[in-house]
Amino acid sequence: MATNQHDHIREQILAALRHPEAEEGLYFRNFFHLHEEDERPSVIGEQAAILAALEELVAEGLVSMLPSAGSEDERIFSLAR
């Protein structure tokens, strides 16, 4: 993946998590699957690239992740406090 695209995905993730609608965090699917009433920005990119960027942001301490007893799609991501 090109560095510029990767950096752009990271920026989109952080923008989505800064939005008031993401105050309590977002499930992985919420980054790229928005409902009609959602006002937050979507993250444009392949799901694997979005997940890789999320995991990198978690490792850097910029994003926190709450694990779920369910599938990986049920993990909740939020800005680190």
Side-chain angles (χ1 to χ4, degrees):
M1 175 182 355
T3 302
N4 288 341
Q5 181 183 13
H6 181 72
D7 291 344
H8 186 64
I9 289 173
R10 286 173 49 102
E11 291 169 14
Q12 291 178 85
I13 289 169
L14 292 172
L17 289 172
R18 287 185 190 112
H19 195 277
E21 289 179 0
E23 184 177 2
E24 294 180 17
L26 296 174
Y27 291 112
F28 174 65
R29 66 180 175 272
N30 295 138
F31 288 101
F32 51 85
H33 179 76
L34 272 62
H35 296 96
E36 193 172 304
E37 65 274 4
D38 290 335
E39 295 180 6
R40 72 181 177 281
S42 66
V43 177
I44 299 169
E46 294 182 15
Q47 291 182 22
I50 295 169
L51 184 57
L54 274 166
E55 290 174 345
E56 185 177 279
L57 289 166
V58 169
E60 292 174 7
L62 297 172
V63 171
S64 61
M65 179 190 67
L66 295 173
S68 171
S71 71
E72 286 188 353
D73 288 346
E74 298 302 312
R75 295 178 290 178
I76 299 173
F77 297 91
S78 60
L79 288 176
R81 303 206 188 278

